[in-house]
Amino acid sequence: NAGVTQTPKFQVLKTGQSMTLQCAQDMNHNSMYWYRQDPGMGLRLIYYSASEGTTDKGEVPNGYNVSRLNKREFSLRLESAAPSQTSVYFCASSEWGRSTDTQYFGPGTRLTVL
Amino acid sequence: AQKITQTQPGMFVQEKEAVTLDCTYDTSDQSYGLFWYKQPSSGEMIFLIYQGSYDEQNATEGRYSLNFQKARKSANLVISASQLGDSAMYSCAMREGPGNQFYFGTGTSLTVIP
């Protein structure tokens, strides 16, 4: 089992460029998440998908779009990158609904926008 | 209001000593889960320990224990017999149930001194 995988691991963009971060999980989880992590701020939720076919905004959705392609895959798109989107991005997955279930994280993508 | 508060940005502990990392939470739900994650300098998020709101006993996982005080809404992580490999960022999180969002604190950076 690979768990949660993310690609790419590193990316440098110029302001205004677009890109898609890919995430896949092989644990048959229903829920998937995208977070960003900035120094001193902890993990902040961008978007999440409670189950296949649904997506919801989190705390900081502006400037991002998501697609839940199927049960395994959840992608995050930056349509027009801005320097404020320089961050480390984590994808995670979990079972749906029960407060007892933890999240499992991917290795992260370090994005720099110049 | 913050759902999760970690008031210690940085902590130091001598090797082989115990250390307590503080976490308080805010929820009106009766059912919720509390989680601690470790993030070493390599960047990955590692699940450490879980405490359910209905659990009467404090959770333990090896050298990790969770000091759960429900009335005070605190869920402190205790690491016994600290090791150099424990140096990392530690994040407290909560999941309200039934629900799919996790709420994270800003983290505590722990440094173990030889």
Side-chain angles (χ1 to χ4, degrees):
Chain A
N1 279 356
V4 181
T5 57
Q6 290 182 236
T7 55
K9 291 192 175 176
F10 300 94
Q11 185 71 49
V12 178
L13 293 177
K14 294 181 179 177
T15 297
Q17 287 186 319
S18 63
M19 77 161 296
T20 300
L21 281 64
Q22 306 285 355
C23 174
Q25 53 92 10
D26 62 4
M27 294 174 283
N28 203 35
H29 286 161
N30 286 298
S31 299
M32 297 186 73
Y33 309 79
W34 277 106
Y35 293 93
R36 62 177 289 172
Q37 186 178 41
D38 301 295
M41 300 195 74
L43 284 169
R44 292 186 292 169
L45 183 64
I46 304 170
Y47 271 93
Y48 69 102
S49 171
S51 59
E52 189 178 354
T54 69
T55 59
D56 286 286
K57 295 179 180 179
E59 182 185 356
V60 289
N62 290 347
Y64 305 95
N65 286 301
V66 291
S67 295
R68 185 73 183 267
L69 304 169
N70 48 54
K71 191 172 185 180
R72 291 188 62 248
E73 298 173 288
F74 189 40
S75 63
L76 178 73
R77 182 159 178 84
L78 286 71
E79 290 290 352
S80 179
S84 60
Q85 294 178 305
T86 294
S87 188
V88 180
Y89 291 84
F90 286 97
C91 178
S93 70
S94 76
E95 289 294 344
W96 180 89
R98 298 186 304 175
S99 61
T100 55
D101 294 312
T102 187
Q103 288 182 317
Y104 295 89
F105 287 85
T109 295
R110 189 173 295 273
L111 175 67
T112 302
V113 183
L114 303 175
Chain B
Q2 293 284 344
K3 289 277 190 179
I4 296 287
T5 302
Q6 294 180 255
T7 57
Q8 306 156 314
M11 291 277 288
F12 291 88
V13 64
Q14 205 76 39
E15 194 177 5
K16 300 180 184 177
E17 293 188 349
V19 63
T20 298
L21 307 183
D22 294 341
C23 173
T24 57
Y25 60 92
D26 181 28
T27 182
S28 56
D29 283 8
Q30 296 301 308
S31 175
Y32 52 90
L34 297 157
F35 304 84
W36 278 92
Y37 296 88
K38 174 183 178 182
Q39 189 176 24
S41 58
S42 53
E44 72 269 31
M45 294 284 289
I46 303 166
F47 165 66
L48 292 178
I49 195 167
Y50 159 81
Q51 178 83 40
S53 58
Y54 294 118
D55 295 340
E56 294 184 353
Q57 304 260 15
N58 286 340
T60 59
E61 290 286 348
R63 294 185 299 109
Y64 303 108
S65 61
L66 200 154
N67 184 0
F68 181 46
Q69 298 188 41
K70 196 170 183 176
R72 297 180 63 184
K73 294 189 174 179
S74 74
N76 299 338
L77 177 70
V78 181
I79 306 174
S80 62
S82 297
Q83 302 172 355
L84 295 178
D86 294 334
S87 293
M89 178 71 78
Y90 290 83
S91 294
C92 179
M94 176 176 66
R95 182 177 193 176
E96 294 168 324
N100 295 289
Q101 286 200 48
F102 287 72
Y103 302 94
F104 283 82
T106 51
T108 296
S109 177
L110 177 68
T111 302
V112 180
I113 304 167

